[in-house]
């Protein structure tokens, strides 16, 4: 069939294979000559269909490509690389200076002790506020703590005093949380603006508050480590790592606080020191304060200047800081910002008998079998020296420490005389300010070279007539226990395995004897309450009366302290615990001496911190270890021809200063 169109049929040229003209063509071979005519609308419709089909093909190809991309992405995210997070980029990448300008402070294990965070400050431009009273009343609905009259005065239009320049800036509030900021924004009061600032936060609360110190409202260090390292914290953004271990700090604080509460004391102090590096792992002074209050020190200074704050003093005027006047009074008792560890000066009491024994042994003036007359008091002019519940007999050197004999210590010190005694005290650091990284340090109070006489030597031998800080005492005792090296205490974490330089103050053999004597005080003397099984604690108790504002001793006001180290076979840490003005309780049978007050608190500290510091109690080998660090109360004198084991560790006598 052929189609008929409106166009004339085309006449095709004759094919070379066509039959010659005039010859008949077979019927089955003859082409059809019938044609069909297609109208124009149909052709247009067909053309439209062709175009639509092309568009559909194009759209299908696009959708196929899109779904293929999604499929590839899902395959990558869920099958090929499912653990790699895909985070969106930050909306804004900060450039230039960091958002905070003061570096963080951490403890030795990286726990944050102080950090600066961005906060918001509210200020006002008085020139933009037409009705200060109405604006203040509306703002007080969000910030009710503001003083209304002062707020109105600050946002009222005025001139800078002495000039014709209008005031265009007035602080209203600092450290606004986001909720208050949004609430102030919702008020829609013209003239109030916000600006970013930073605030110092202390996440551990009052822990190590006296060591950390504080910053003022402008972020400048005004006390403690914050002040000592102020320039470093501003210039170097890397965290400052302290030697403090916040776990040990909390344990020490709780133990001192419990002792204060149990004996109704007015305050207390405590120190945990690495015996070999002199790093301060914990330093507690109670009462303490919340370092997050930036205005605390400033308010205290203003209150004291106005005579409103308590300013209880020792009755002695000493310099309280390297830049302070020498006549600055030392606040005590109820001032939470007063650091008893480094600024508080107290008579050390019987804890100083350890220094006296070390001096006598190391100089060769005495041996462990030396005897001292404690049968009767010593009278020197109008002064009388006696023992508290003394034995009233001749005592050997170990007994002098175990029974805490003042008479024995006085006779022991007189063997060397005032000059050599004072030289030894100076070598032990008891006459100079400590070099710890704190601006708040005090110089010990002691007689001068011309005033140091026999009576001073006798009283200082048992810790009276000289005033030192608790940090002085624990640093000196650590040197007696660690082999004889005195190192200045530090609050900065030291590199592992690096030995700090120090000064040899006694021989290693004298240090070995002192460890035995300190252990004897805990096993057989006044420090029994400090014993912790498996840790071989050694130390010395000390009870001293407090002095009044006019120099005399105060009745029933005393300092009870314990200083020691553990374990005595290989000393690693030194501990000091002190309670200020303890009162007797029912459990102490009417006593408030160091053996009842401070020694149990020291034992509590050691019991808690030793496991924290990775120390395992040596309970299985306890008898063998105890034998290596024991010493008899009454060691026998060795025969001339042989030296028995009991005296083998005694240093050979030698003259001169150690």
């Amino acid at each position: 069939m052929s189609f008929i169109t409106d166009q004339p049929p085309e006449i095709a040229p004759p094919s070379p294979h066509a039959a010659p003209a005039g010859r008949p063509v077979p019927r089955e071979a003859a082409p059809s000559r019938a044609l069909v005519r297609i109208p124009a609308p149909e052709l247009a419709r067909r053309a439209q269909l062709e175009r639509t089909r092309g568009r559909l093909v194009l759209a299908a190809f696009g959708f196929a490509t899109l779904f293929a991309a999604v499929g590839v992405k899902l395959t990558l995210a869920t099958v090929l690389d499912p653990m790699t997070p895909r985070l969106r980029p930050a909306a804004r990448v900060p450039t230039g200076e960091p958002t905070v300008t003061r570096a963080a402070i951490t403890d030795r294990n990286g726990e944050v002790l102080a950090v600066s965070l961005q906060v918001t400050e509210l200020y006002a431009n008085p020139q933009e506020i037409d009705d200060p009273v109405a604006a203040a009343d509306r703002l007080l609905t969000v910030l009710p703590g503001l003083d209304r009259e002062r707020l109105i005065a600050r946002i009222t239009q005025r001139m800078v005093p002495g000039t014709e320049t209008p005031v265009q800036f007035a602080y209203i509030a600092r450290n606004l949380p986001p909720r208050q900021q949004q609430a102030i924004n919702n008020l829609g009061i013209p003239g109030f603006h916000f600006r970013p600032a930073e605030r110092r936060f202390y996440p551990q609360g009052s822990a190590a508050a006296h060591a950390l110190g504080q910053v003022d409202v402008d972020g400048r260090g005004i006390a403690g480590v914050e002040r000592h390292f102020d320039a470093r914290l501003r210039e170097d953004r890397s965290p400052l790592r302290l030697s403090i271990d916040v776990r040990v700090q909390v344990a020490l604080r709780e133990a001192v606080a419990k002792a204060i509460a149990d004996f109704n004391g007015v305050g207390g102090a405590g120190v945990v020191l690495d015996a070999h590096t002199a790093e301060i792992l914990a330093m507690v002074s109670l009462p303490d304060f919340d370092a997050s209050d930036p205005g605390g020190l400033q308010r205290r200074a203003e209150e004291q200047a106005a005579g409103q704050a308590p300013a209880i003093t020792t009755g002695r005027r000493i310099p309280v800081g390297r830049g302070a006047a020498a006549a600055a009074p030392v606040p005590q008792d109820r001032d939470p910002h007063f650091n008893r560890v480094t600024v508080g000066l107290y008579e050390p009491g019987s804890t100083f008998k350890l220094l006296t024994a070390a001096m006598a042994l190391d100089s060769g003036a005495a041996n462990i079998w030396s005897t001292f007359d404690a049968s009767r008091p010593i009278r020197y002019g109008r002064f009388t020296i006696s023992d508290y519940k003394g034995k009233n007999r001749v005592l050997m050197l170990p007994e002098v420490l175990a029974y805490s004999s003042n008479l024995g210590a006085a006779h022991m010190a007189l063997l060397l005389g005032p000059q050599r005694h004072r030289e030894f005290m100076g070598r032990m650091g008891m006459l100079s300010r400590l070099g710890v990284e704190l601006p708040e340090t005090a110089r010990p109070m002691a007689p001068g070279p011309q005033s140091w006489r026999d009576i001073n030597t006798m009283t200082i031998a048992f810790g009276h007539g000289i005033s030192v800080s608790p940090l002085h005492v624990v640093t000196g005792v650590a040197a007696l226990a660690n082999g004889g090296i005195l190192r200045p205490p530090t609050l900065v974490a030291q590199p592992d395995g690096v030995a700090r330089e120090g000064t040899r103050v006694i021989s290693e053999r004298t240090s070995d004897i002192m460890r035995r004597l300190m252990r004897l005080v805990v096993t057989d003397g006044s420090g029994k309450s400090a014993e912790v099984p498996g840790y071989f604690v050694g130390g010395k108790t000390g009870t001293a009366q407090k002095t009044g504002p006019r120099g005399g001793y105060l009745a029933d006001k005393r300092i009870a302290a314990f200083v020691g180290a553990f374990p005595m076979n290989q000393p690693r840490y030194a501990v000091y615990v002190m309670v200020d003005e303890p009162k007797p309780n029912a459990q102490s049978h009417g006593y408030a001496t160091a053996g009842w007050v401070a020694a149990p608190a020291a034992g509590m500290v050691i019991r808690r911190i030793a496991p924290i510091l990775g120390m395992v109690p040596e309970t299985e080998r306890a008898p063998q270890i105890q034998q290596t660090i024991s010493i008899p109360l009454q060691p026998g004198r060795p025969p001339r021809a042989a030296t028995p084991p009991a005296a083998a560790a005694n240093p050979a006598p030698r003259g001169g200063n150690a």
Side-chain angles (χ1 to χ4, degrees):
M1 176 181 293
S2 300
F3 294 93
I4 299 176
T5 66
D6 292 335
Q7 302 297 327
E10 295 183 358
I11 300 175
S15 173
H17 304 289
R23 181 180 296 179
V25 179
R27 183 177 182 89
E28 60 274 10
S32 176
R33 309 300 291 180
L35 299 177
V36 179
R37 186 182 298 273
I38 300 176
E42 179 65 18
L43 292 176
R45 186 181 69 82
R46 293 188 179 187
Q48 183 66 30
L49 288 175
E50 289 294 331
R51 288 194 297 272
T52 302
R53 184 176 64 176
R55 293 172 182 174
L56 288 175
V57 171
L58 183 61
F61 178 77
F63 279 108
T65 303
L66 177 62
F67 281 110
V70 173
V72 171
K73 187 69 173 179
L74 290 175
T75 302
L76 289 174
T78 60
V79 178
L80 299 180
D81 196 11
M83 299 302 295
T84 303
R86 294 292 185 261
L87 303 178
R88 293 183 302 172
R92 180 180 64 87
V93 178
T95 57
E97 291 296 320
T99 55
V100 294
T101 60
R102 194 172 186 85
I105 301 175
T106 70
D107 80 338
R108 65 187 305 109
N109 301 311
E111 292 291 331
V112 176
L113 299 177
V115 63
S116 294
L117 300 177
Q118 272 200 334
V119 294
T120 300
E121 295 179 339
L122 174 66
Y123 70 96
N125 184 351
Q127 302 304 312
E128 299 175 355
I129 301 176
D130 296 329
D131 190 346
V133 176
D137 290 338
R138 294 182 63 188
L139 184 62
L140 287 172
T141 61
V142 179
L143 303 175
L146 298 178
D147 181 85
R148 182 175 183 273
E149 299 302 324
R150 186 178 181 183
L151 175 60
I152 293 174
R154 291 185 67 82
I155 64 177
T156 300
Q157 297 182 11
R158 63 193 186 279
M159 300 294 177
V160 177
T163 69
E164 297 297 327
T165 304
V167 173
Q168 297 183 352
F169 182 90
Y171 262 124
I172 304 300
R174 300 175 185 265
N175 310 319
L176 291 177
R179 181 174 299 177
Q180 285 186 334
Q181 182 180 356
Q182 184 60 45
I184 296 171
N185 268 330
N186 294 339
L187 294 176
I189 309 174
F192 290 99
H193 307 278
F194 301 99
R195 73 173 190 176
E198 69 178 60
R199 180 184 176 186
R200 199 68 163 170
F201 288 91
Y202 300 87
Q204 305 297 334
S206 58
H210 291 89
L212 293 172
Q214 281 182 303
V215 298
D216 60 16
V217 293
D218 296 318
R220 295 187 298 265
I222 54 177
V225 168
E226 294 276 23
R227 179 179 174 186
H228 183 86
F229 290 103
D230 186 64
R232 186 267 188 230
L233 292 170
R234 288 177 174 273
E235 297 169 2
D236 187 350
R237 303 298 191 271
S238 61
L240 174 63
R241 181 168 167 258
L242 299 185
S243 61
I244 295 290
D245 188 323
V246 72
R247 304 168 301 172
V248 178
Q249 179 76 25
V250 171
L252 177 63
R253 185 184 186 279
E254 291 178 355
V256 175
K258 184 178 185 302
I260 295 172
D262 289 346
F263 292 91
N264 197 24
V266 299
V271 181
V272 176
L273 191 78
D274 188 301
H276 292 279
T277 65
E279 293 173 278
I280 300 174
L281 273 68
M283 183 176 73
V284 170
S285 176
L286 295 178
D288 52 15
F289 59 95
D290 185 358
S292 294
D293 178 12
L297 289 179
Q298 292 183 342
R299 285 197 304 271
R300 179 174 65 93
E302 294 172 358
E303 290 172 355
Q304 286 185 347
Q308 300 172 355
I312 301 175
T313 66
T314 59
R316 301 171 177 176
R317 307 175 77 83
I318 64 168
V320 297
R322 292 184 175 84
V330 180
Q332 268 192 354
D333 301 326
R334 295 165 183 84
D335 186 354
H337 293 88
F338 177 69
N339 189 349
R340 297 171 184 269
V341 175
T342 60
V343 181
L345 295 182
Y346 310 96
E347 290 192 344
S350 295
T351 58
F352 250 37
K353 291 171 184 173
L354 294 176
L355 300 182
T356 303
M359 174 186 67
L361 290 169
D362 200 65
S363 66
N367 295 287
I368 58 174
W369 57 82
S370 298
T371 58
F372 304 93
D373 185 8
S375 61
R376 58 183 181 274
I378 298 176
R379 289 179 173 84
Y380 188 95
R382 60 186 180 90
F383 301 102
T384 299
I385 300 174
S386 59
D387 282 342
Y388 176 73
K389 294 188 175 182
K391 298 296 181 179
N392 300 317
R393 61 176 175 83
V394 174
L395 302 176
M396 284 192 169
L397 190 147
E399 293 180 299
V400 171
L401 294 182
Y403 303 142
S404 197
S405 171
N406 296 339
L407 296 169
H411 286 301
M412 196 183 304
L414 284 178
L415 294 176
L416 282 85
Q419 181 178 353
R420 295 173 67 187
H421 185 207
R422 190 177 190 280
E423 290 175 355
F424 181 80
M425 289 293 109
R427 192 161 67 250
M428 293 297 299
M430 299 300 160
L431 305 180
S432 57
R433 195 192 308 273
L434 290 173
V436 68
E437 298 89 351
L438 291 175
E440 303 87 11
T441 58
R443 185 184 302 277
M445 299 185 62
Q450 304 303 322
S451 303
W452 197 300
R453 298 171 295 173
D454 285 345
I455 184 61
N456 304 105
T457 290
M458 287 189 287
T459 58
I460 292 174
F462 54 87
H464 289 259
I466 187 172
S467 294
V468 297
S469 72
L471 192 57
H472 279 88
V473 177
V474 69
T475 302
V477 171
L480 300 184
N482 69 10
I485 304 298
L486 179 69
R487 295 179 177 88
T490 179
L491 278 166
V492 178
Q494 302 299 306
D496 294 336
V498 178
R500 292 188 66 205
E501 294 185 1
T503 302
R504 176 163 294 282
V505 289
I506 60 173
S507 68
E508 292 187 17
R509 291 194 295 175
T510 301
S511 176
D512 178 73
I513 296 177
M514 291 308 303
R515 289 195 292 269
R516 297 167 184 258
L517 293 172
M518 292 166 66
R519 178 61 181 162
L520 181 68
V521 173
V522 173
T523 57
D524 297 84
S526 58
K528 293 180 180 179
S529 298
E531 174 69 329
V532 181
Y535 290 109
F536 309 100
V537 181
K540 185 71 184 75
T541 57
T543 307
Q545 285 183 284
K546 294 182 66 175
T547 57
R550 298 185 179 179
Y553 288 105
L554 301 174
D556 299 326
K557 292 185 181 297
R558 61 184 64 84
I559 298 293
F562 176 89
V563 62
F566 70 98
M568 294 315 298
N569 56 320
Q570 291 180 338
R572 293 180 58 185
Y573 301 101
V575 177
Y576 177 95
V577 174
M578 180 269 281
V579 177
D580 191 355
E581 294 188 21
K583 282 80 173 177
N585 60 22
Q587 289 73 30
S588 67
H589 306 285
Y591 294 100
T593 54
W596 288 96
V597 178
M604 178 181 175
V605 172
I606 296 170
R607 190 175 294 106
R608 289 191 59 184
I609 70 173
I612 293 175
L613 296 171
M615 301 180 65
V616 178
E618 293 277 5
T619 54
E620 296 181 357
R621 298 193 306 122
Q624 295 89 336
I625 295 176
Q626 176 60 32
Q627 186 176 5
T628 63
I629 57 176
S630 63
I631 191 171
L633 281 168
Q634 296 180 342
R637 178 186 293 272
R640 294 181 179 276
T643 301
N650 189 58
R654 55 191 177 92
N657 297 327

